[in-house]
């Protein structure tokens, strides 16, 4: 059965080698910021987690952080 959780190794990925290699090239060129963009459910997180595993990087999920910051700005005493 197909597992919906993000993958973390090349062995688990299917047809995403170009994306991984582009990330490696971008880091090698010294780009200070790299955005991974695309429509939903095309394995962006899997590619990123696999890449970070290969370079011993870390993954920090910031979903929802914007809403918390807005809430604190509007209601600082709560």
């Amino acid at each position: 059965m197909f597992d919906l959780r993000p993958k973390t190794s090349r062995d688990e990925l299917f047809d995403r080698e170009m994306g991984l290699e582009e990330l490696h090239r971008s880091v090698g060129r010294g780009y200070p910021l790299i955005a991974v963009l695309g429509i939903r459910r095309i394995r962006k997180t899997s590619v990123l987690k696999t890449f970070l595993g290969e370079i011993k990087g870390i993954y920090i999920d910031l979903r929802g952080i914007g809403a918390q910051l807005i809430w604190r700005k509007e209601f600082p005493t709560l």
Side-chain angles (χ1 to χ4, degrees):
M1 184 167 200
F2 184 72
D3 185 4
L4 294 175
R5 291 175 293 182
K7 310 304 177 222
T8 57
S9 73
R10 279 188 191 246
D11 296 340
E12 299 175 298
L13 290 178
F14 176 73
D15 199 27
R16 294 291 180 257
E17 292 82 13
M18 286 178 49
L20 279 172
E21 294 309 318
E22 184 61 33
L23 284 171
H24 280 286
R25 279 192 299 276
S26 297
V27 168
R29 291 178 186 137
Y31 293 160
L33 179 65
I34 301 166
V36 178
L37 305 173
I39 60 173
R40 290 183 53 166
R41 305 195 69 76
I42 60 168
R43 297 289 179 204
K44 295 178 300 293
T45 302
S46 293
V47 169
L48 184 59
K49 284 187 168 190
T50 299
F51 170 72
L52 291 172
E54 291 177 357
I55 66 164
K56 306 290 188 260
I58 60 170
Y59 177 82
I60 301 172
D61 187 346
L62 296 176
R63 284 180 287 189
I65 194 73
Q68 291 175 0
L69 292 174
I70 292 169
W71 177 263
R72 288 186 186 145
K73 196 182 279 187
E74 296 295 323
F75 306 101
T77 58
L78 295 179

